Amino acid sequence: MDRLTLKNVSAYYRQLIVNKEVYVRAVDDVSLSVKKGEVLGLVGESGCGKTTLSKVMMMNINPPLEFIKGEVQLTRRDGEVIRLHKMSRRLLKNFVWGKNISIVPQEAMSALMPTLKIKRIAYDLVRSHDPNAKLEDVVERLEKRLEELGLPDYIADRYPFELSGGMAQRTVIAVATLLNPEVLIVDEPTSALDVLTQRIVLKTLADLMVKNIVDSMVFITHDIAIVRQIASRIAVMYAGKIVESAPTEDIIFNPLHPYTKGLIESITSLEPEVRKRGVKYIPGQPPQLINPPQGCRFADRCSFVMEKCKKEEPPLIKIGEGREVACWLYVKR
Amino acid sequence: MRILLETKSLTKVFETGFFKRIVVKAVDDVSIILSEGEIVSLVGQSGSGKTTLAKMILRLLEPTSGDIFFQGRNVWKDLKTLEDFKWYWKNVHAVFQNPYASFNPFYKIDRVLHQALMLIGIDPDSPEGDRVIREALEVVGLRPDETLGKYPHQLSGGQLQRILISRAWIIKPKLLLADEPVSMLDVSTRGKILELFDILRKNLGTTIVFITHDLGLAYAISDRILVMYKGKIVEEGSPDKVILNPEHEYTKELLKSVPTLYKKWS
Amino acid sequence: MVTERLEVRSMKLIELLYLLFNNKRFIIGFGIIFFELILAFMGPLLYPVDPFDTNNPPSLPPSEEHPFGTDRFGKDVFALVVYGIRNSLYVGVLTGTFTILIGLTVGLVAGIRGGIVDEVLMSFTNVVMIIPNVLLAILILTYVGVERSGLELVAAVLSITTWTGFARAVRAQILSLREREFIYLSRMAGFSSIKIAFQDLLPHLATFILISFVNYMNVGINGEVGLSILGLTSISIVTLGKLLYFAAITQAFLFGQWWTFLIPGAILILLSASLLLIATAIDEVFNPRLRRM
Ligand SMILES: Nc1ncnc2c1ncn2[C@@H]1O[C@H](COP(=O)(O)OP(=O)(O)OP(=O)(O)O)[C@@H](O)[C@H]1O
Ligand SMILES: Nc1ncnc2c1ncn2[C@@H]1O[C@H](COP(=O)(O)OP(=O)(O)OP(=O)(O)O)[C@@H](O)[C@H]1O
Ligand SMILES: [Mg+2]
Ligand SMILES: [Mg+2]
C-alpha cells in the first residue's frame, strides 16, 4: 500500500538573472511512491534536486520555490487519503507536518535554535499542532522517545551546542518523530559523521521502523554504500528527474541506467572488488537546470549515447517487478 | 622530501562550563611532520580533535602548549603583523568542514572568492579577476553563470562545498588543510575534486592534509594516513600498512564500521 | 519546524519593509509615531503660538482659541505639547544612541578581543550594573547644576547606567558567532578585526540593535519624566514629562484642570506604547522563530 505518492510533480525556483526571470527546474515531472513499511533511498548528484524534492514531499513550498504541477498524496494510518497539494500552508503546518510527515533537514545540526533547550524545541513543535499541550507532557514524551532510541534522557535539558554531532543528529530524529508521523524524510543524515557514529545513526533510523514509530522512510543521500544498508528500494535522481528506481539489490548488482552504473562504479569502499578498479568518476557535469537540453539529460556524459537520446526525452518505463528506468536502451521498438 | 610544516608537542585544552569547569584535552601532545607534495589523510572519530588540530595549524586557535614551524618560522611566535599573517594564509589555507556555516548569509557567494583574489593581490573587479573566478568555478564543475551572484541559501550543500574548494584553487597555497571537503558530494562528482588535489600536488608540489572519516577515500588517495583518537595520533603509516595491517585496536574498530557496498551488515 | 531558519536571513530590504507594513502592530505603532512626528515638526508652523507666552488668561479649559486650554501661568497647552513631543523624542533618540554606542563598543571589543580585555570589560560592566542609577543621576545633575543641564546631559546621565545589559547581550552573540567558519574565512583573507566586526558581525546584530534602540528610546523618554518629577532637569526645557511635573506642582488635579495633565499624559503613554509596538513588530518580522514556527 502506498503511503506517499507523487504524481508528475514539478517545482521550480524562480530566479532573476540580469533582469530576466528564469526558472531553475530543480524537480521536473517526478512520479514516485513510498510504500508502507518501506525505506526508500533517494540518491543523486549534488544539486540534482534531492532537497527540493523533499520539500515537495512535505509541500513545504516557499518563494522562490514554486509548485508548478502535480499531485502529492499521503495515506494516513486510518486509511484516509490527504491531498497535500490542495492544502494551505497553515493547514499543513497545524495538521500535517510533524504529525503525518516529518523531516530531518540536511543542515539539521545548525537548524536547532542554539538558544533553546531541546525540550523547549520539542514543546514548540508539539504546540504548533496542539496549542493546549503541556510542557511536562511533552518532556515526558520526549524523554521516552530519547530512551527508545538509545539516548540518555538528560538530553532534553541540554542546549543543542552541548551535544556532539552524532548526538545532535539523533536528537533531531527523536524530536522529528515525536508525534509518530507516518512518513519520515531524512536528508543526508550521516554525511557529517564519522563511520562509527554513522553506524549508530543508521541503527537509530532502523529502530524507528522496527518499533513502528514511523511507517515509511525516505532516506536522501549521495552515499550509496550507506543507504544500501537500510533501504529496501533505491531511486536515482539526475538533474531534476528520477532516472531509475528498483529494489536495492538490483541497483547494486545489476544497475540498468548508464548513470546508475557510473555511480556504482565510482564508489570507494574497502572491499577487494572496489580496490582493484581504483577511484573512478563520471566525467563532465550535469546540464544546467535553467534550460535543460530537450533530450535525455544524461546524454552528454553517457557512453552509450544514441542519436535519439539527444532529441527525445526517454520516458520512465516499467521493467520487471518493481523496476523502472528512463533510458532509450531499454525501450523495445 | 623537504619538510614543509612541523608540529611539536601540540596540545589544546578547552575549559568550558561556567560553574563546574569541564576540561577537554582536544589535542594531546601531537608531533607530526608534513613534507612538500604529499597527501596525508587524517582520520578519526567525531570529536577526536582533527578540526582543532587543523585550526591551530591555520593560526586560528592558539595552542595551549607546543609549537608549529612552517618553513622554519614559528607560526605562533614569529608572525606578528597583519602582513605576516597574510603571507602565512596565502601559503596555508583551508576548506572547512561545514559548508553551510562557511558563508555569511548576508552576502552573495562571490564574496569568498573575491577575498581569495584580494589575498593573492588581484583586483576582484578587474577582467583578470573575473576570469580567474570563472576558471576556478569551472574547475570544480560549477557553471559560473549559474553560481555567481547567488546567496548561499540558493545553492545546494554540495555546490557550496565546491565553491570553497574553488577558493582554495584560486589561492593555491603550499599547504591545504581540507576538512571533510567532499562530505556532501556524490561519488560521481567527488572523483573530479580528488583529481584536483592530485593536480595541485603534481604541478605545484602542494601538500594536502585530507581530513575525513571516509577510510575508503583515505585509502585510495593518500600517501600516508594518520589515525587520531582522543586527541592523540595513535597510528601512522602508508595506506597499505594502516588499512591492511592495522595495529591499534581503534583502527581495527574503525575499519569494521566502514559501510560496504556489496555486503549488507547483519 | 526546524527547517526554515536559514531561509529568512538574507532577505532584501524591500521584502522586509513589505513584511513590516503587513504587520498590524507595526502599522499601529508606526501610525502613532508618524502622527506625533507630524505634530512635533509641523505643529509650530500650523499653530504658530509661542509656548512661553504668559499673556493668555490662566487655567482656561479647551476652547476654540486654545484647543488644549491654558495652564496656571497662562501658557497655551497645545503649543507646550507640540514642543514637549519634540524634546521628548529628542531625549529618547539621544538616550538610544548613547546607550547603543557605549554598549555596542564594549560588547564588540570584549567579544572580539576576548582574553584579558574581555575579563576587564566584563568586570567593569558588572560594577556599573550594580551602581544605583537614580543616585548617580542625582549626583551628576546636582553637581553640574540643574539649571545648566540640557537634554543632552539628561540623555547621557540615563545612558551611563543602562548600557550594561545591552553590552552583555552583544558580547554573548559575538561569542557564538566568533567560532563560525565564515569568520575564519574572512580572517584568513587577511581582514582586520575591525573589518570583520563591520562586515561579518554587525549584520547579524542589526535587528537586535534596532529593537534595543527602540527600547532604549523608551527608557530615555520615561527616564526624563522620572528626573523631571524629582526636579532634576532644567525648567526652561519643555518636555512631556515636564508638563506633567508642572501639572503636579500646581495641583492641577485638585483644581480639576484635567487638560493640563491628561493630554500630555495620554500622548506620553501613546508614544511609549507605540515604540514598544514597533519593537515587538520588528522582532516578529526579523526573528524567524516568531515568524514561522
Ligand atoms: N533558492 C534557490 N534559488 C534558486 N535556485 C536554487 C535555490 N535553492 C536551490 N536551488 C538550485 O536548485 C538545484 C537543486 O538544489 P537542491 O538543494 O535540491 O540539491 P540537492 O540535490 O539537495 O543537492 P546536495 O546533495 O548538494 O544537497 C540546485 O542546482 C540549486 O542550485
Ligand atoms: N570551542 C570549543 N570549546 C570547547 N570545546 C571544544 C571547542 N571546540 C572543540 N571542542 C571539543 O574538542 C574536542 C575535539 O573537537 P574537534 O572539533 O577537533 O573534533 P573532530 O575530530 O574535528 O570531530 P568531527 O569529526 O566531528 O568534526 C571535542 O570533544 C569538542 O567537543
Ligand atoms: Mg540537499
Ligand atoms: Mg571536525
Side-chain angles (χ1 to χ4, degrees):
Chain A
M1 193 180 69
D2 288 357
R3 270 274 169 256
L4 184 68
T5 316
L6 270 61
K7 273 192 208 138
N8 304 99
V9 283
S10 298
Y12 303 162
Y13 290 99
R14 187 193 279 272
Q15 218 199 331
L16 211 60
I17 292 187
V18 215
N19 296 328
K20 226 176 59 208
E21 273 200 17
V22 292
Y23 277 128
V24 179
R25 304 175 177 224
V27 170
D28 209 0
D29 200 28
V30 166
S31 298
L32 194 68
S33 67
V34 190
K35 297 190 172 44
K36 181 167 183 265
E38 175 178 78
V39 178
L40 174 72
L42 184 64
V43 300
E45 197 147 29
S46 162
C48 72
K50 303 182 295 291
T51 300
T52 313
L53 186 57
S54 77
K55 288 185 186 161
V56 174
M57 289 175 177
M58 306 270 294
M59 276 311 289
N60 178 8
I61 311 285
N62 262 329
L65 185 61
E66 276 179 33
F67 187 75
I68 303 294
K69 67 174 178 77
E71 291 176 22
V72 182
Q73 276 184 7
L74 191 144
T75 313
R76 290 205 315 223
R77 287 200 186 89
D78 59 16
E80 194 173 325
V81 177
I82 42 180
R83 296 151 68 82
L84 302 191
H85 60 285
K86 294 272 186 213
M87 296 172 78
S88 72
R89 196 175 172 79
R90 202 180 55 81
L91 275 180
L92 285 164
K93 189 151 69 174
N94 290 344
F95 298 103
V96 180
W97 294 343
K99 204 164 174 187
N100 302 117
I101 184 166
S102 199
I103 186 165
V104 177
Q106 187 164 12
E107 72 283 17
M109 300 183 204
S110 40
L112 290 172
M113 280 292 292
T115 49
L116 297 181
K117 285 184 175 171
I118 302 294
K119 62 179 181 193
R120 190 74 215 182
I121 295 171
Y123 180 50
D124 284 344
L125 169 72
V126 174
R127 217 168 31 159
S128 69
H129 299 283
D130 173 9
N132 301 321
K134 288 206 192 64
L135 183 62
E136 307 90 77
D137 299 342
V138 175
V139 171
E140 196 181 320
R141 202 177 175 141
L142 175 65
E143 286 175 348
K144 193 165 146 269
R145 177 55 40 87
L146 289 169
E147 204 178 306
E148 277 175 310
L149 298 181
L151 289 160
D153 58 9
Y154 60 72
I155 283 184
D157 256 317
R158 293 282 162 101
Y159 288 98
F161 63 83
E162 294 179 312
L163 307 174
S164 74
M167 263 194 186
Q169 188 64 276
R170 292 158 72 202
T171 305
V172 180
I173 294 171
V175 173
T177 56
L178 210 53
L179 299 172
N180 294 10
E182 276 93 350
V183 180
L184 177 70
I185 305 169
V186 284
D187 194 355
E188 301 277 6
T190 57
S191 66
L193 306 173
D194 66 274
V195 285
L196 296 173
T197 320
Q198 271 179 356
R199 199 172 181 151
I200 298 170
V201 170
L202 280 183
K203 168 97 171 46
T204 307
L205 289 171
D207 278 354
L208 290 173
M209 296 294 290
V210 173
K211 296 191 172 153
N212 281 326
I213 292 169
V214 302
D215 258 17
S216 316
M217 197 183 309
V218 179
F219 190 112
I220 299 176
T221 182
H222 59 264
D223 194 338
I224 299 190
I226 292 273
V227 75
R228 79 93 70 234
Q229 310 298 334
I230 182 166
S232 34
R233 202 155 59 84
I234 291 179
V236 182
M237 197 169 176
Y238 186 78
K241 293 197 164 277
I242 302 286
V243 294
E244 179 167 7
S245 94
T248 304
E249 305 294 315
D250 290 337
I251 291 271
I252 305 288
F253 290 101
N254 181 23
L256 293 182
H257 197 285
Y259 173 62
T260 319
K261 283 188 182 146
L263 265 188
I264 300 287
E265 279 172 12
S266 326
I267 291 171
T268 46
S269 64
L270 290 172
E271 290 160 290
E273 290 95 325
V274 176
R275 208 170 290 147
K276 264 180 270 154
R277 41 155 233 248
V279 182
K280 280 193 184 168
Y281 68 94
I282 311 174
Q285 42 179 296
Q288 51 172 11
L289 295 173
I290 293 176
N291 262 324
Q294 55 170 199
C296 172
R297 296 189 178 181
F298 188 60
D300 274 358
R301 300 167 78 184
C302 182
S303 38
F304 303 95
V305 62
M306 303 176 290
E307 214 31 58
K308 191 171 193 179
C309 303
K310 300 208 166 162
K311 293 200 198 94
E312 254 180 275
E313 197 173 304
L316 190 64
I317 53 162
K318 210 166 147 59
I319 287 197
E321 197 41 46
R323 286 204 84 162
E324 285 175 327
V325 65
C327 177
W328 287 120
L329 288 175
Y330 303 96
V331 180
K332 294 195 192 71
R333 60 216 95 195
Chain B
M1 275 197 293
R2 291 231 308 275
I3 293 177
L4 185 67
L5 184 134
E6 187 174 3
T7 72
K8 288 194 174 143
S9 305
L10 213 52
T11 302
K12 178 71 196 181
V13 180
F14 284 114
E15 284 184 33
T16 52
F18 210 73
F19 300 109
K20 212 173 67 194
R21 288 256 145 169
I22 308 165
V23 177
V24 180
K25 245 188 184 177
V27 172
D28 189 2
D29 194 23
V30 167
S31 301
I32 54 172
I33 293 179
L34 302 172
S35 307
E36 280 178 13
E38 64 170 347
I39 297 185
V40 179
S41 286
L42 183 60
V43 300
Q45 197 173 347
S46 195
S48 55
K50 307 183 294 292
T51 302
T52 308
L53 177 60
K55 282 182 189 163
M56 287 192 286
I57 294 179
L58 285 163
R59 211 188 180 286
L60 294 171
L61 189 69
E62 190 160 6
T64 312
S65 66
D67 288 302
I68 303 167
F69 294 92
F70 177 77
Q71 294 185 335
R73 289 174 86 172
N74 188 325
V75 171
W76 280 94
K77 302 207 172 98
D78 295 347
L79 304 180
K80 299 217 167 61
T81 63
L82 197 58
E83 286 311 308
D84 288 344
F85 300 158
K86 276 192 188 167
W87 166 81
Y88 187 64
W89 284 321
K90 227 182 289 174
N91 285 302
V92 182
H93 218 82
V95 173
F96 288 112
Q97 194 167 5
N98 182 350
Y100 290 105
S102 296
F103 290 84
N104 189 334
F106 289 98
Y107 296 93
K108 293 180 177 161
I109 58 95
D110 309 30
R111 183 173 186 247
V112 298
L113 302 176
H114 289 177
Q115 288 180 340
L117 287 180
M118 288 190 270
L119 189 61
I120 58 168
I122 299 180
D123 176 8
D125 295 325
S126 66
E128 162 81 349
D130 191 55
R131 194 187 57 70
V132 172
I133 286 184
R134 283 171 183 272
E135 187 247 13
L137 286 173
E138 267 157 24
V139 158
V140 296
L142 292 172
R143 255 180 276 274
D145 291 328
E146 267 178 70
T147 317
L148 292 172
K150 283 197 176 176
Y151 285 94
H153 73 273
Q154 297 176 321
L155 293 164
S156 75
Q159 289 168 329
L160 294 178
Q161 207 157 37
R162 281 183 282 167
I163 292 170
L164 295 171
I165 293 165
S166 72
R167 167 172 158 133
W169 179 264
I170 292 176
I171 297 172
K172 300 207 171 57
K174 287 208 171 66
L175 171 62
L176 176 63
L177 294 140
D179 197 350
E180 307 275 11
V182 293
S183 64
M184 298 205 175
L185 300 184
D186 68 303
V187 286
S188 67
T189 332
R190 207 173 60 179
K192 193 181 168 81
I193 302 297
L194 299 176
E195 208 175 64
L196 287 186
F197 290 149
D198 212 44
I199 293 174
L200 280 178
R201 184 255 298 263
K202 279 215 189 79
N203 296 359
L204 303 169
T206 311
T207 305
I208 292 157
V209 176
F210 191 77
I211 302 178
T212 182
H213 59 255
D214 189 335
L215 287 156
L217 215 52
Y219 179 57
I221 67 160
S222 41
D223 303 319
R224 204 146 59 89
I225 294 182
L226 306 175
V227 181
M228 201 161 178
Y229 178 59
K230 293 195 174 161
K232 284 185 188 300
I233 304 288
V234 293
E235 186 149 355
E236 166 172 11
S238 71
D240 283 330
K241 177 178 161 279
V242 173
I243 303 290
L244 303 182
N245 296 308
E247 276 163 19
H248 199 274
E249 273 314 304
Y250 174 69
T251 316
K252 291 178 190 163
E253 186 63 30
L254 215 51
L255 284 168
K256 253 192 277 171
S257 300
V258 174
T260 48
L261 180 60
Y262 295 102
K263 279 188 298 292
K264 194 169 166 173
W265 288 331
S266 45
Chain C
M1 27 155 261
V2 278
T3 17
E4 305 181 19
R5 240 185 81 225
L6 277 176
E7 293 169 19
V8 202
R9 286 193 208 131
S10 44
M11 282 187 300
K12 301 257 158 46
L13 187 66
I14 307 168
E15 285 177 81
L16 289 174
L17 287 180
Y18 174 79
L19 285 172
L20 274 178
F21 279 97
N22 266 330
N23 185 301
K24 283 203 197 70
R25 288 175 219 267
F26 183 79
I27 292 180
I28 298 174
F30 185 79
I32 299 173
I33 285 275
F34 191 70
F35 174 73
E36 301 205 351
L37 277 176
I38 296 266
L39 213 58
F41 288 94
M42 304 293 284
L45 299 175
L46 301 175
Y47 187 74
V49 173
D50 181 2
F52 304 105
D53 177 9
T54 49
N55 289 329
N56 305 304
S59 305
L60 277 184
S63 65
E64 225 160 85
E65 200 181 336
H66 303 284
F68 287 177
T70 58
D71 69 1
R72 282 282 292 273
F73 311 103
K75 292 179 187 161
D76 184 279
V77 176
F78 188 67
L80 285 172
V81 164
V82 165
Y83 268 77
I85 293 176
R86 194 197 289 195
N87 283 332
S88 282
L89 279 174
Y90 180 61
V91 81
V93 169
L94 273 188
T95 312
T97 313
F98 290 162
T99 310
I100 298 288
L101 281 183
I102 306 174
L104 198 59
T105 314
V106 173
L108 278 179
V109 172
I112 293 172
R113 274 290 135 103
I116 184 82
V117 177
D118 182 26
E119 270 176 45
V120 169
L121 282 176
M122 280 303 112
S123 318
F124 173 64
T125 308
N126 289 339
V127 170
V128 175
M129 222 167 200
I130 54 169
I131 295 178
N133 45 5
V134 180
L135 202 65
L136 190 71
I138 294 176
L139 278 177
I140 295 179
L141 289 172
T142 44
Y143 178 77
V144 175
V146 171
E147 282 315 311
R148 271 181 296 138
S149 67
L151 286 177
E152 294 80 10
L153 187 71
V154 171
V157 163
L158 288 169
S159 313
I160 220 163
T161 46
T162 38
W163 56 269
T164 50
F166 182 66
R168 281 166 58 131
V170 167
R171 171 182 172 269
Q173 296 212 22
I174 298 290
L175 287 189
S176 78
L177 285 170
R178 211 176 53 172
E179 307 284 315
R180 300 284 284 281
E181 280 86 341
F182 64 80
I183 303 282
Y184 287 140
L185 285 180
S186 290
R187 272 173 71 187
M188 286 172 46
F191 280 23
S192 64
S193 300
I194 293 180
K195 202 164 175 186
I196 290 178
F198 277 97
Q199 290 198 358
D200 283 301
L201 297 172
L202 275 186
H204 285 264
L205 297 176
T207 49
F208 180 60
I209 293 174
L210 213 60
I211 294 164
S212 307
F213 179 76
V214 174
N215 277 329
Y216 288 123
M217 254 179 92
N218 229 340
V219 169
I221 293 170
N222 290 320
E224 196 274 339
V225 176
L227 293 177
S228 321
I229 289 174
L230 291 174
L232 286 171
T233 56
S234 162
I235 299 184
S236 58
I237 303 168
V238 181
T239 64
L240 292 174
K242 210 71 57 58
L243 293 179
L244 289 178
Y245 171 63
F246 282 136
I249 56 170
T250 55
Q251 297 181 307
F253 186 68
L254 285 181
F255 293 100
Q257 294 154 356
W258 53 268
W259 57 92
T260 57
F261 57 90
L262 267 192
I263 291 173
I267 287 180
L268 186 65
I269 289 171
L270 276 178
L271 198 60
S272 302
S274 63
L275 289 176
L276 281 179
L277 278 174
I278 289 177
T280 340
I282 292 176
D283 201 28
E284 266 177 7
V285 167
F286 287 77
N287 184 336
R289 200 176 82 79
L290 291 179
R291 224 162 73 94
R292 293 206 167 152
M293 262 182 55

